[in-house]
Amino acid sequence: MRITPLVIVAASAALAAPTAAHAEPDTSHPPAAPGVSVPGGRYEHAVTLKFSTERGTTVRYTLDGSTPTRESSVYSPGRPLRITEDTNVTAVAFHGGQASPPVSYGYLIKTQEKPLATFVVMSDVHVGDHAHNDKKYESFFDTIGSIFPNPDAILSNGDMINDNGDGKGPDHRIVSEIFQANLKRKGMDSTQLLISNGNHDAGLAAIRAGYPKAWFPDSGGGYYESDVKGVHLFTVNTETYNNDTAQRTWLKTRLAELTADPANANRPILVQGHRPTTGTAMDGQQASNPRLAEDLSAFPQAILFSGHSHLNINDDRSIHQRDFTSVNDGSMSYVEIDHGYQMVTETGLANRFESPTAQALFVEVYKDRTEIDRINMAADQHDIYAGGQWSASWQPPYASAGTLSGPGWTVRLKGSTNQQIKDNFRYTAAERNKVAPEFTTGEPLTAVRGPEGATVVRIAQAKDDQMVHHYEVDITDTTTGTKAVSSKVLSDFYIMPRPNTLDIPVPGAVAGHAYEARVVAVDAYGNASPAATLTFTR
């Protein structure tokens, strides 16, 4: 059983409605989560925030994605909080020994420069009915609208449904109904919706039957070209690309024609395809279609968006540049973390790599750059298994909706030749992060008692300039010389706000035995902290 302070456990709770600023708190229950004067979203200026809460409570906040504690910064009503750059703000109300659920708000602070075009890039919708998805997608489209009130295009990059060769093709109509209802509800009348074919989409005929023609304007092979306010977009069919000579010829010919014009030499050309290509984003996990990478290699202007693997976009390995730019666009149903790690769950450590987190990319194309922002649709703390049963359908409200899942990425195409453009790429293997995490508290490890007397080693989360990916945990019974725990434990980086501690149960701990714990914090690139150690007796 996971042992965490109340404020962290409450991260999965629904956001309580803000209460009047002068209402008297009920001290028998936790106070309500703070309300905020300016909702999260995209702004073209700095924003000034005020928090509202019950009389007698104290609001504390963080700006680094962590969960506020009683030691965090105190909000003073006379000193509003000014946000001047992209930030996640998390607030908790404290009263006596009680704490509210944390609530997080994501702010994108832009200039007044207008982009040429705006895109929402999502994938792996995996919708099968209205019951589990209507409310969810109302929340998701509310989040979209808070950032792009009228996006020029929404790219849904494959796996709209859950067909596994079992006749679920008509479910595409359910997705169409949900999306059309929300586009109408949000007034996104001019937004183009452009779909790619995924391995769970039942086939091209089912896609054509399920959506308006404008959403999937292919001419027979599941691939097509679009113009979104002057930005060229190519939708490829990654289910057939590797052996589809006609599709390969079409893509290479059109890219060559476009880039032959000097006016297009430094303009991005967007490509969406469901499956990632090999050796690119997140090391190409679950990748295929090596010929797509081969064909794009002559065009550094290409920015390829892919899904399929459900890999999270918190990780900076989700963007990759070598010959072109490749970007993982996450998942709208649940995310995965690269395999080989354990998670701390409600029942202890588990060999698990899924989290019920929904994410999407928000892309702005400017004259001299493309800005890609990573946004959580929902990143509350849940286990993917509810009551022992698989569940990726946690319902709103989400206390994390609209938060940032990482700093934005900026792609610039600088240079007069293709090689010069590649030489100026930023997200290359040579430029990858080399800064190691570090433990910053005086006691990074402590031994605590859990329910029914269980022994637990509590890790105070380390800090990193990007994110701590996992911990190498070794706990030895030094009385017998046997290993009690030897594991790589994920840091919960995919949760917003991030829990401040992780509790590692020591199974079979024996009273009177001495133990030694050794923990190393590791980032996504393998940079490792010095080990933190602890000796204790059960």
Side-chain angles (χ1 to χ4, degrees):
M1 177 65 68
R2 185 174 195 159
I3 321 301
T4 49
L6 173 62
V7 65
I8 298 177
V9 173
S12 64
L15 170 61
T19 56
H22 300 295
E24 293 293 340
D26 179 354
T27 57
S28 64
H29 299 286
V36 71
S37 59
V38 180
R42 181 188 185 278
Y43 295 90
E44 296 179 353
H45 52 76
V47 297
T48 300
L49 307 182
K50 297 181 179 180
F51 295 107
S52 61
T53 188
E54 301 160 327
R55 183 191 299 274
T57 61
T58 299
V59 174
R60 294 182 180 269
Y61 65 90
T62 63
L63 305 176
D64 64 355
S66 63
T67 302
T69 69
R70 295 181 186 278
E71 286 71 48
S72 300
S73 298
V74 176
Y75 165 72
S76 171
R79 298 180 62 186
L81 184 61
R82 184 171 172 81
I83 305 299
T84 60
E85 60 185 7
D86 296 355
T87 307
N88 279 325
V89 178
T90 302
V92 170
F94 293 91
H95 183 267
Q98 301 271 26
S100 76
V103 62
S104 299
Y105 308 93
Y107 297 91
L108 294 173
I109 307 300
K110 305 287 186 178
T111 68
Q112 293 186 355
E113 180 185 4
K114 304 302 181 186
L116 302 176
T118 57
F119 300 80
V120 180
V121 186
M122 62 175 68
S123 70
D124 298 276
V125 168
H126 288 290
V127 162
D129 58 40
H130 282 283
H132 292 93
N133 292 282
D134 284 356
K135 292 296 183 182
K136 179 188 294 186
Y137 274 86
E138 285 182 12
S139 174
F140 291 172
F141 270 82
D142 286 345
T143 295
I144 291 172
S146 73
I147 299 172
F148 295 157
N150 290 286
D152 295 309
I154 295 175
L155 312 185
S156 193
N157 200 3
D159 278 7
M160 305 288 284
I161 64 171
N162 298 307
D163 186 272
N164 293 288
D166 49 3
K168 293 183 180 178
D171 285 357
H172 281 291
R173 294 192 182 92
I174 298 173
V175 186
S176 182
E177 291 164 1
I178 292 172
F179 277 47
Q180 289 191 73
N182 281 288
L183 289 168
K184 181 178 181 180
R185 181 176 65 88
K186 300 300 293 185
M188 297 177 181
D189 301 322
S190 61
T191 298
Q192 298 185 59
L193 209 150
L194 301 168
I195 295 171
S196 76
N197 178 36
N199 55 297
H200 289 286
D201 282 327
L204 302 182
I207 297 175
R208 295 187 198 106
Y211 303 102
K213 173 66 175 176
W215 292 16
F216 190 65
D218 79 316
S219 57
Y223 54 90
Y224 58 90
E225 180 179 351
S226 307
D227 183 299
V228 181
K229 297 186 70 175
V231 176
H232 291 278
L233 167 71
F234 292 87
T235 298
V236 297
N237 182 1
T238 57
E239 298 309 295
T240 62
Y241 189 89
N242 216 44
N243 298 305
D244 187 344
T245 302
Q247 183 178 183
R248 292 184 66 200
T249 300
W250 161 79
L251 181 63
K252 289 185 290 184
T253 299
R254 286 297 296 132
L255 291 177
E257 290 171 349
L258 288 171
T259 55
D261 183 347
N264 292 328
N266 301 103
R267 292 182 179 175
I269 299 172
L270 307 188
V271 183
Q272 71 164 339
H274 179 63
R275 296 178 188 252
T277 190
T278 52
T280 57
M282 291 287 277
D283 300 322
Q285 183 167 312
Q286 297 191 41
S288 58
N289 297 297
R291 287 180 175 173
L292 179 57
E294 175 187 329
D295 294 345
L296 292 178
S297 65
F299 305 102
Q301 299 84 359
I303 302 177
L304 171 66
F305 295 99
S306 61
H308 179 60
S309 60
H310 291 240
L311 286 169
N312 65 94
I313 58 176
N314 308 76
D315 195 321
D316 275 82
R317 291 176 295 166
S318 281
I319 186 169
H320 174 278
Q321 291 181 310
R322 184 173 56 239
D323 297 317
F324 58 95
T325 302
S326 184
V327 186
N328 163 39
D329 53 47
S331 166
M332 294 289 282
S333 52
Y334 66 91
V335 303
E336 293 189 11
I337 295 85
D338 38 337
H339 300 186
Y341 303 91
Q342 290 192 306
M343 285 184 178
V344 178
T345 73
E346 295 177 354
T347 57
L349 290 182
N351 294 319
R352 198 160 303 166
F353 51 85
E354 310 107 335
S355 175
T357 302
Q359 303 174 321
L361 300 176
F362 287 69
V363 180
E364 303 179 33
V365 178
Y366 292 88
K367 292 181 179 179
D368 64 342
R369 68 196 186 280
T370 300
E371 296 184 359
I372 303 172
D373 289 304
R374 303 178 261 176
I375 302 297
N376 292 317
M377 297 294 178
D380 292 9
Q381 189 172 28
H382 297 298
D383 192 345
I384 199 78
Y385 290 93
Q389 299 296 315
W390 170 270
S391 173
S393 299
W394 293 94
Q395 294 297 298
Y398 305 115
S400 56
T403 54
L404 285 56
S405 49
W409 298 312
T410 300
V411 176
R412 297 182 185 272
L413 303 175
K414 298 171 61 176
S416 57
T417 67
N418 282 356
Q419 189 57 53
Q420 288 176 351
I421 293 172
K422 294 178 186 181
D423 289 343
N424 285 310
F425 278 166
R426 175 181 178 185
Y427 304 102
T428 64
E431 297 296 323
R432 287 308 194 185
N433 183 277
K434 296 178 175 63
V435 178
E438 61 178 338
F439 291 102
T440 59
T441 62
E443 291 185 295
L445 306 179
T446 54
V448 299
R449 288 291 178 88
E452 301 178 359
T455 300
V456 171
V457 172
R458 176 167 293 166
I459 303 172
Q461 293 244 42
K463 305 292 185 183
D464 188 64
D465 62 326
Q466 290 184 345
M467 70 176 199
V468 177
H469 182 271
H470 68 275
Y471 296 93
E472 295 177 352
V473 181
D474 286 283
I475 304 174
T476 302
D477 181 337
T478 56
T479 301
T480 63
T482 57
K483 189 77 70 174
V485 176
S486 182
S487 178
K488 294 181 178 180
V489 182
L490 292 166
S491 72
D492 277 359
F493 62 82
Y494 35 85
I495 301 300
M496 183 66 208
R498 183 178 64 254
N500 294 313
T501 61
L502 291 178
D503 284 2
I504 311 300
V506 184
V510 179
H513 281 210
Y515 291 84
E516 180 179 66
R518 183 181 186 275
V519 177
V520 175
V522 186
D523 70 11
Y525 299 104
N527 301 307
S529 73
T533 59
L534 172 72
T535 57
F536 62 94
T537 300
R538 167 70 165 86

